Amino acid sequence: MWIYEKKLQYPVKVGKCDPRMAKFLIEQYGGADGELAAALRYLNQRYTIPGKVIGVLNDIGTEEFAHLEMIATMVYKLTKDATAEQMEAAGLGAHYANHDNALFYHNAVGVPWTAAYIQAKGDPIADLYEDIAAEEKARATYQWLIDMTDDVDIQDGLKFLREREIVHSLRFRECVEILKEDMAAKKFF
Amino acid sequence: MWIYEKKLQYPVKVGKCDPRMAKFLIEQYGGADGELAAALRYLNQRYTIPGKVIGVLNDIGTEEFAHLEMIATMVYKLTKDATAEQMEAAGLGAHYANHDNALFYHNAVGVPWTAAYIQAKGDPIADLYEDIAAEEKARATYQWLIDMTDDVDIQDGLKFLREREIVHSLRFRECVEILKEDMAAKKFF
Amino acid sequence: MWIYEKKLQYPVKVGKCDPRMAKFLIEQYGGADGELAAALRYLNQRYTIPGKVIGVLNDIGTEEFAHLEMIATMVYKLTKDATAEQMEAAGLGAHYANHDNALFYHNAVGVPWTAAYIQAKGDPIADLYEDIAAEEKARATYQWLIDMTDDVDIQDGLKFLREREIVHSLRFRECVEILKEDMAAKKFF
Amino acid sequence: MWIYEKKLQYPVKVGKCDPRMAKFLIEQYGGADGELAAALRYLNQRYTIPGKVIGVLNDIGTEEFAHLEMIATMVYKLTKDATAEQMEAAGLGAHYANHDNALFYHNAVGVPWTAAYIQAKGDPIADLYEDIAAEEKARATYQWLIDMTDDVDIQDGLKFLREREIVHSLRFRECVEILKEDMAAKKFF
Amino acid sequence: MWIYEKKLQYPVKVGKCDPRMAKFLIEQYGGADGELAAALRYLNQRYTIPGKVIGVLNDIGTEEFAHLEMIATMVYKLTKDATAEQMEAAGLGAHYANHDNALFYHNAVGVPWTAAYIQAKGDPIADLYEDIAAEEKARATYQWLIDMTDDVDIQDGLKFLREREIVHSLRFRECVEILKEDMAAKKFF
Amino acid sequence: MWIYEKKLQYPVKVGKCDPRMAKFLIEQYGGADGELAAALRYLNQRYTIPGKVIGVLNDIGTEEFAHLEMIATMVYKLTKDATAEQMEAAGLGAHYANHDNALFYHNAVGVPWTAAYIQAKGDPIADLYEDIAAEEKARATYQWLIDMTDDVDIQDGLKFLREREIVHSLRFRECVEILKEDMAAKKFF
């Protein structure tokens, strides 16, 4: 189980109302390679991955929920003071008609999140490559989002998150090596 | 952010391999009215619900993740020792072909979870009725699942979860009253 | 079965070509909380709801088809004279590329309607709360749509529809009371 | 708008509890080529089809709702007395876990209905061929369903519905001819 | 199996960066009536269609892959030099946030392609009408796309593709006649 | 463009009617990690991947269509003589009600294929890890399928396909190395 601690993993600085950037940022909330996808993917794989790497999946999965909260906080702050007109001008008119200024787990287009984005195969190597790919794809999305703003505060948060994805990618590669050594050792004896 | 604590909210007792019941139980993992839907719904609505009831959504949303973990643990224990033949005999052959014995966020049919199951309208009363309905529907699903097994250990876990949904439904009704009083007071002055 | 009568439940006055508003209005045609979702939800639940409230579901479900026709008529009138350029300028270029000026059951984003938006649990109380929530969510959507236009004729139609949702919400609450009394009476004797 | 008349277009005779056949019949309730798809497709196309054939679309669309009600009544009667065990034995265990004995707009697999099954192009000839294809596909489904049962009462209802699809297919072909003549006449003068 | 030949079926001339038109053209890449849908539909139906018309399905299905490649080449050329700002100005900001300038199988709105768009019934007449309808719908889409640009090079490619759809529609109608004659002959003897 | 050659990449030997195995094999036809997903993923990524590795994507993408055809042929041969009763007994009753014995792009459950299963990010390293993960996941699925049959002919075809996925995975890893060296060289000068 999880205990909620009322703080963000990393401070989110948002100085102005900017629904345009919120529209794109929501890709990392409810998009194919976003934080929801990451958290749910790893926590689900925990059950059938070998014991030696369960802890890594548990830690990273839990951290991704913290990232999800950071993205949610950014999107909220960027839109909370936006009028219907401002939402529409930012390409969020369809979002407003359905959700007002509430958040929702959809991508930047507005397509609802689906578990079809993620996978669990029961094969540890396949699952870990799924996870490495997920981190590389999230890293790319953060890059495209950084390219889309010149707000240094938003960029700061996105760069932190991008760095974490790179670290996670490396950790999942280490897990592959650990399991391969383990399988080699088992074959030897 | 959330801190992981390595224990379940309520003990999960599973004494035997029973993939047949796992097939149905997974409805509450990745189904329309399951624990994933509940947790994600409430935590997402937190941002635009009035301050007086944010805490309730945060608490219940976090608790639903604990329930999700309970369901995952049940499904895992019921299937971890099942052979391909046993999975198939239990109607999980299609699941096995795709996922082996790994878990996945799909319903009992095998349809992947989608955010189309949940909603956030930005209107506090609408959001809370969405939540009350969610709890009533989850309560019903637990009832149908209890009807489908005579394993008293499984029933014990499901009855605990069903009771929690009833408590949550009541708490959301209280939130409606709190907000209505608040709105009435604002209109008066 | 249903007999078609060639009139609208309430007159739809649309004085000008306004594809921008059509883009948002279509949320109530093929969106999550729109009239299609409402009509199909109630008419489907009729079969397993207790006899005392079947009539209410039947009446409201049938009325929602009349509302669906009102929304369709509005969307049609707002777009029938729009050129490709006007459709595109209103954010309906993608709609035009696929559907020309025809209507389609998608939400304001353009995501096709799915039955995943609605539910039927076989539990009368859960089903009725699903229905109350549906009406509250539709009421909210009408409010956001009213906020998005200053065309008094469109607003007039939307206000009529919003009022009907409020009436339906009350009727479904009465149904809950009727069934609870009934269940209490049955327990007593 | 539509007026509800409390009778079926054609009598539905169901003499026994038979959830196995209900599982397959539901294909024509919420499947790709079922009655819901048909009704919604034609009634939606009405708005942009030329005036000469609007009446045909309106009539057939309204009749398809009557067919939807016939299918619903069949499915309901086949399952209303089925226990959880009987539902499960008939392959409806996953349906029961989610919906108890309630109906739902999904196909025989259990995949929820989506508007992606249907189309409206704004081009009258394309729309009418979409409709002819729809009728031919529905005819085929009724044939496969008739092949799957030897209950003469069920077969009787399905044969009536299959015949209606053949009639509708012919009427849509006539509409194509009417519109082609009309276009030819316009070109001439 | 297929052998790749490094040439396009028909030359694609794109003289300028024009992400606006790419946004709409992608409808024929990953949309409901696009080339992917066509190719996959016909190649899949090959297996159960009568032998006399397998060749037609095989030929047209293979040609549709060539069309898919033409559309892909157009979309690529129209966007390859577009900056993030230009993508966003063309309504492709959400696409950029997820995919950068890469292509993806979604429609002009951005909804991912789904096999729910296509069908195979095992009934040859139904399958062929499905195919005729597909060609008529693709023809209509090409018309709407031609209406949306005044770039004569793009129009040239789209007119070639529209003509091919008309030819395919005629060939599928001939297949219907061939099969009907065949069935009539079988009934006679 | 592609030229069709009327032969299979590797001979498909199917000696008996076995719809049970067809039900599971179809996972590699229209499932998340199947051959359709693979072919479409690589051919789509070709456009924005660096020139040095386009050829690999083109070759492997084209080969995956040959694999798709092998799977289709297997599924067809396993089911072509199956009666409605045999289809139903094999868990394909719902498939039969909708598609008769025709093939369809759905997974073993019966969920239609969606492009949400695949991705293209425009970032070459992310795209190649997506591809490596795809091959590892396909390898795993082939393993689960091999586990589900003792028909040596089917196993022979599946083992061939599994080996090809391993080869592809290695080739994509080489592509990563090629691109990394290239990027390092560019940084140096």
Side-chain angles (χ1 to χ4, degrees):
Chain A
M1 60 183 290
W2 287 265
I3 312 297
Y4 186 70
E5 190 176 3
K6 200 176 171 172
K7 71 170 188 184
L8 294 175
Q9 189 194 0
Y10 184 87
V12 163
K13 285 169 282 177
V14 172
K16 59 174 178 181
C17 177
D18 182 3
R20 173 200 158 271
M21 193 58 201
K23 177 180 168 55
F24 301 128
L25 257 185
I26 211 159
E27 184 70 34
Q28 282 304 91
Y29 189 61
D33 307 312
E35 301 294 352
L36 180 65
L40 295 179
R41 179 189 277 116
Y42 308 142
L43 294 175
N44 177 64
Q45 289 178 359
R46 281 183 305 171
Y47 293 92
T48 49
I49 209 87
K52 280 201 172 170
V53 301
I54 289 177
V56 173
L57 285 170
N58 199 63
D59 289 355
I60 299 182
T62 299
E63 184 181 349
E64 304 290 18
F65 273 133
H67 295 174
L68 187 68
E69 201 182 27
M70 283 176 63
I71 295 287
T73 304
M74 283 184 192
V75 171
Y76 170 63
K77 289 188 173 180
L78 290 166
T79 54
K80 74 185 166 67
D81 298 322
T83 62
E85 288 74 19
Q86 288 172 312
M87 293 289 276
E88 185 182 343
L92 286 169
H95 178 97
Y96 182 85
N98 190 1
H99 305 294
D100 181 71
N101 289 33
L103 278 68
F104 198 68
Y105 302 104
H106 57 57
N107 67 5
V109 166
V111 176
W113 192 87
T114 162
Y117 292 142
I118 68 174
Q119 187 53 296
K121 298 300 292 186
D123 175 290
I125 301 301
D127 281 356
L128 287 167
Y129 272 104
E130 160 85 0
D131 301 344
I132 295 168
E135 296 293 344
E136 296 294 330
K137 291 184 283 182
R139 173 188 55 72
T141 309
Y142 279 121
Q143 188 60 57
W144 314 144
L145 291 172
I146 290 166
D147 294 352
M148 296 180 93
T149 185
D150 47 17
D151 180 324
V152 290
D153 286 336
I154 296 287
Q155 286 185 333
D156 178 65
L158 297 178
K159 283 176 182 170
F160 169 81
L161 291 165
R162 186 186 55 183
E163 287 313 300
R164 294 306 300 159
E165 309 301 21
I166 294 169
V167 170
H168 295 167
S169 181
L170 291 172
R171 291 197 69 190
F172 286 131
R173 284 160 209 244
E174 288 165 12
C175 291
V176 171
E177 295 313 311
I178 289 166
L179 293 187
K180 282 188 173 167
E181 276 173 35
D182 218 47
M183 288 186 269
K186 277 177 186 155
K187 279 178 189 157
F188 190 73
F189 296 106
Chain B
M1 60 183 291
W2 288 264
I3 312 296
Y4 186 70
E5 191 177 2
K6 201 177 171 171
K7 70 169 189 187
L8 295 175
Q9 189 193 0
Y10 184 88
V12 162
K13 286 169 282 176
V14 172
K16 59 173 178 180
C17 177
D18 182 2
R20 172 201 159 272
M21 192 58 200
K23 177 180 168 55
F24 301 127
L25 257 185
I26 211 158
E27 184 69 34
Q28 282 304 90
Y29 190 61
D33 307 311
E35 300 294 353
L36 180 64
L40 295 179
R41 179 188 277 117
Y42 308 141
L43 293 174
N44 177 65
Q45 289 178 357
R46 281 184 304 173
Y47 294 93
T48 49
I49 209 89
K52 281 201 172 171
V53 301
I54 289 178
V56 174
L57 285 170
N58 199 63
D59 289 353
I60 298 182
T62 300
E63 184 181 349
E64 304 290 19
F65 273 134
H67 295 175
L68 187 68
E69 201 182 27
M70 284 176 62
I71 295 286
T73 304
M74 282 184 192
V75 171
Y76 170 64
K77 288 188 173 179
L78 290 166
T79 54
K80 74 186 166 68
D81 298 323
T83 62
E85 288 74 20
Q86 288 173 311
M87 293 289 276
E88 186 182 343
L92 287 169
H95 178 98
Y96 182 85
N98 189 2
H99 305 294
D100 181 71
N101 289 33
L103 277 68
F104 200 67
Y105 302 104
H106 58 57
N107 67 6
V109 166
V111 176
W113 192 86
T114 163
Y117 291 143
I118 67 174
Q119 187 53 296
K121 298 299 292 185
D123 176 289
I125 300 301
D127 282 357
L128 287 168
Y129 272 104
E130 160 85 1
D131 302 343
I132 295 167
E135 296 292 343
E136 296 295 330
K137 292 185 283 182
R139 173 187 56 71
T141 310
Y142 279 120
Q143 188 61 57
W144 314 145
L145 291 172
I146 291 165
D147 293 351
M148 295 180 93
T149 184
D150 48 17
D151 181 322
V152 290
D153 286 337
I154 296 287
Q155 286 184 332
D156 177 64
L158 297 179
K159 284 175 182 172
F160 169 80
L161 291 165
R162 186 186 55 182
E163 288 312 300
R164 294 306 300 158
E165 310 300 22
I166 295 169
V167 170
H168 296 165
S169 182
L170 291 172
R171 290 199 68 191
F172 287 130
R173 284 158 209 245
E174 289 164 13
C175 291
V176 171
E177 296 313 312
I178 289 166
L179 294 186
K180 283 188 173 167
E181 277 172 35
D182 219 46
M183 289 186 270
K186 277 178 188 155
K187 280 178 188 156
F188 190 72
F189 298 105
Chain C
M1 60 182 291
W2 287 264
I3 313 298
Y4 185 71
E5 190 177 2
K6 201 178 171 172
K7 70 169 189 185
L8 294 175
Q9 189 193 0
Y10 184 87
V12 162
K13 287 168 283 178
V14 172
K16 59 173 180 182
C17 177
D18 182 3
R20 172 201 159 271
M21 194 57 201
K23 178 180 167 56
F24 301 128
L25 257 184
I26 211 159
E27 184 70 35
Q28 281 305 91
Y29 190 60
D33 306 312
E35 301 293 353
L36 180 65
L40 296 180
R41 178 189 277 116
Y42 309 142
L43 294 174
N44 176 65
Q45 289 177 358
R46 283 184 303 173
Y47 294 93
T48 49
I49 209 90
K52 282 202 172 170
V53 301
I54 288 178
V56 174
L57 285 170
N58 199 63
D59 289 355
I60 298 181
T62 299
E63 184 181 349
E64 304 290 19
F65 273 134
H67 295 176
L68 187 68
E69 202 183 25
M70 283 177 62
I71 295 285
T73 304
M74 283 185 192
V75 171
Y76 170 64
K77 289 189 172 179
L78 290 166
T79 54
K80 75 185 165 67
D81 298 322
T83 63
E85 287 75 19
Q86 288 172 312
M87 293 289 275
E88 185 182 342
L92 286 169
H95 179 98
Y96 182 85
N98 189 3
H99 305 294
D100 181 71
N101 289 32
L103 277 67
F104 199 68
Y105 303 105
H106 57 58
N107 67 5
V109 166
V111 176
W113 193 85
T114 163
Y117 292 143
I118 68 174
Q119 188 53 296
K121 300 298 294 186
D123 175 289
I125 300 301
D127 281 357
L128 287 168
Y129 272 105
E130 160 86 0
D131 302 344
I132 295 167
E135 297 292 344
E136 296 294 331
K137 291 185 283 181
R139 173 187 55 71
T141 309
Y142 280 121
Q143 189 59 57
W144 314 145
L145 291 172
I146 290 166
D147 294 351
M148 295 180 94
T149 184
D150 47 18
D151 180 323
V152 290
D153 286 336
I154 296 287
Q155 285 184 332
D156 178 64
L158 297 179
K159 284 175 182 173
F160 169 80
L161 291 165
R162 186 186 55 181
E163 287 313 300
R164 294 305 301 157
E165 310 299 23
I166 294 168
V167 170
H168 296 166
S169 181
L170 291 172
R171 290 198 68 192
F172 287 131
R173 284 160 209 245
E174 289 165 13
C175 290
V176 170
E177 295 314 311
I178 289 167
L179 294 187
K180 282 188 172 167
E181 277 172 34
D182 220 45
M183 287 186 270
K186 276 177 187 157
K187 279 179 189 156
F188 190 74
F189 296 106
Chain D
M1 60 183 291
W2 288 265
I3 312 297
Y4 186 71
E5 192 177 2
K6 200 177 171 173
K7 71 170 188 185
L8 294 174
Q9 189 194 359
Y10 185 86
V12 162
K13 287 168 282 177
V14 172
K16 59 173 178 181
C17 178
D18 182 3
R20 172 201 158 271
M21 193 58 199
K23 177 180 168 56
F24 301 128
L25 257 185
I26 211 159
E27 184 70 35
Q28 282 305 91
Y29 189 62
D33 306 312
E35 301 294 352
L36 180 65
L40 296 180
R41 178 189 278 117
Y42 309 142
L43 294 174
N44 176 64
Q45 289 178 357
R46 283 184 304 171
Y47 294 92
T48 50
I49 209 87
K52 282 201 171 170
V53 302
I54 289 177
V56 174
L57 286 170
N58 199 62
D59 289 354
I60 299 182
T62 300
E63 184 181 348
E64 305 290 18
F65 273 133
H67 295 175
L68 187 68
E69 201 183 26
M70 283 176 62
I71 296 286
T73 305
M74 283 184 194
V75 171
Y76 170 64
K77 288 188 174 180
L78 290 165
T79 53
K80 73 184 167 69
D81 298 322
T83 62
E85 287 73 21
Q86 288 173 313
M87 294 289 276
E88 186 182 343
L92 286 169
H95 178 97
Y96 182 85
N98 189 1
H99 305 294
D100 180 71
N101 289 33
L103 278 68
F104 200 69
Y105 303 104
H106 58 57
N107 67 6
V109 166
V111 176
W113 193 86
T114 162
Y117 292 143
I118 68 174
Q119 187 52 297
K121 297 300 292 187
D123 176 288
I125 301 302
D127 281 357
L128 287 167
Y129 273 104
E130 160 85 2
D131 301 344
I132 295 167
E135 297 292 344
E136 296 294 332
K137 291 184 284 182
R139 173 188 55 72
T141 309
Y142 280 120
Q143 190 59 58
W144 313 145
L145 290 172
I146 290 166
D147 294 351
M148 295 180 94
T149 183
D150 47 18
D151 180 324
V152 291
D153 286 336
I154 296 286
Q155 286 184 332
D156 178 65
L158 297 178
K159 283 175 182 171
F160 168 81
L161 291 165
R162 187 186 53 182
E163 287 315 298
R164 295 304 301 158
E165 310 300 22
I166 294 168
V167 171
H168 295 167
S169 181
L170 291 172
R171 291 198 68 192
F172 287 131
R173 284 159 209 247
E174 289 165 13
C175 291
V176 171
E177 296 313 312
I178 289 166
L179 294 187
K180 282 187 172 167
E181 277 173 34
D182 219 47
M183 289 186 270
K186 278 179 186 154
K187 280 179 188 154
F188 191 73
F189 297 104
Chain E
M1 60 182 291
W2 288 265
I3 313 296
Y4 186 71
E5 191 177 1
K6 200 177 171 174
K7 71 169 187 185
L8 293 175
Q9 190 194 359
Y10 184 86
V12 162
K13 286 168 284 178
V14 172
K16 59 172 178 181
C17 177
D18 182 2
R20 173 201 158 270
M21 193 58 201
K23 177 180 168 56
F24 301 128
L25 257 184
I26 212 159
E27 184 70 35
Q28 281 305 91
Y29 189 61
D33 306 312
E35 301 293 353
L36 179 65
L40 296 180
R41 179 189 277 115
Y42 309 142
L43 294 174
N44 176 65
Q45 289 177 357
R46 283 184 304 172
Y47 293 92
T48 49
I49 208 89
K52 281 200 172 171
V53 302
I54 289 177
V56 174
L57 285 171
N58 199 62
D59 289 354
I60 298 181
T62 300
E63 184 181 350
E64 304 290 18
F65 273 134
H67 295 176
L68 187 67
E69 202 183 24
M70 283 177 63
I71 295 285
T73 305
M74 283 184 193
V75 171
Y76 170 64
K77 289 188 173 179
L78 290 166
T79 54
K80 74 183 165 68
D81 298 321
T83 61
E85 287 75 19
Q86 288 172 314
M87 293 289 276
E88 186 182 342
L92 286 169
H95 178 97
Y96 182 86
N98 189 2
H99 305 294
D100 180 72
N101 289 34
L103 278 67
F104 199 67
Y105 302 104
H106 57 58
N107 66 6
V109 166
V111 176
W113 192 84
T114 163
Y117 291 143
I118 69 175
Q119 188 51 298
K121 298 300 293 186
D123 175 289
I125 301 302
D127 281 356
L128 287 167
Y129 273 104
E130 160 85 0
D131 302 344
I132 294 167
E135 296 292 343
E136 296 294 331
K137 291 184 284 181
R139 173 187 56 72
T141 310
Y142 280 121
Q143 190 59 58
W144 313 146
L145 291 172
I146 291 166
D147 294 351
M148 295 180 94
T149 184
D150 47 18
D151 180 323
V152 290
D153 286 336
I154 296 286
Q155 286 184 332
D156 179 64
L158 297 179
K159 283 175 182 171
F160 168 80
L161 291 166
R162 187 187 52 182
E163 287 314 299
R164 295 304 302 157
E165 310 300 22
I166 294 169
V167 170
H168 295 167
S169 181
L170 290 172
R171 291 199 67 192
F172 286 130
R173 283 159 210 245
E174 290 165 13
C175 291
V176 171
E177 295 314 311
I178 289 166
L179 293 188
K180 283 188 172 167
E181 278 173 34
D182 219 47
M183 288 187 271
K186 277 178 186 156
K187 279 178 188 156
F188 190 73
F189 297 105
Chain F
M1 60 183 291
W2 287 263
I3 313 296
Y4 186 70
E5 192 177 2
K6 201 178 171 172
K7 71 169 189 186
L8 293 176
Q9 188 193 0
Y10 184 87
V12 162
K13 288 168 283 178
V14 172
K16 59 172 178 181
C17 177
D18 182 3
R20 173 201 158 270
M21 193 57 200
K23 177 179 168 55
F24 301 128
L25 257 185
I26 211 158
E27 183 71 34
Q28 281 305 91
Y29 190 62
D33 306 312
E35 300 293 353
L36 179 65
L40 296 180
R41 177 188 278 118
Y42 309 142
L43 294 173
N44 176 65
Q45 289 178 358
R46 282 183 305 172
Y47 294 92
T48 48
I49 208 91
K52 281 201 170 169
V53 302
I54 289 178
V56 174
L57 285 171
N58 199 63
D59 290 355
I60 297 182
T62 299
E63 184 181 349
E64 305 290 19
F65 273 133
H67 295 176
L68 187 68
E69 202 183 25
M70 284 177 62
I71 295 286
T73 305
M74 283 183 192
V75 171
Y76 169 64
K77 289 189 173 179
L78 290 166
T79 54
K80 75 184 164 69
D81 298 322
T83 61
E85 287 74 19
Q86 287 173 312
M87 293 289 276
E88 185 182 342
L92 286 169
H95 178 98
Y96 182 86
N98 189 2
H99 306 293
D100 181 72
N101 289 32
L103 277 67
F104 199 68
Y105 302 105
H106 58 58
N107 66 6
V109 166
V111 176
W113 192 85
T114 164
Y117 292 143
I118 69 175
Q119 187 53 296
K121 297 300 292 186
D123 176 289
I125 300 301
D127 281 356
L128 287 167
Y129 272 104
E130 160 85 1
D131 302 344
I132 295 167
E135 296 292 344
E136 296 294 330
K137 291 184 284 182
R139 174 186 55 72
T141 309
Y142 280 121
Q143 190 58 58
W144 314 146
L145 291 172
I146 291 166
D147 294 351
M148 295 180 94
T149 184
D150 47 17
D151 180 323
V152 290
D153 286 336
I154 296 287
Q155 286 184 332
D156 178 64
L158 297 179
K159 283 175 181 171
F160 169 81
L161 291 165
R162 186 187 54 181
E163 287 313 300
R164 294 306 301 158
E165 310 301 22
I166 294 169
V167 170
H168 296 166
S169 181
L170 291 172
R171 290 198 69 193
F172 286 130
R173 285 160 208 245
E174 288 164 14
C175 291
V176 171
E177 295 312 313
I178 290 166
L179 293 187
K180 282 188 173 168
E181 276 173 33
D182 221 45
M183 288 186 271
K186 277 177 187 156
K187 280 180 188 156
F188 190 72
F189 296 107

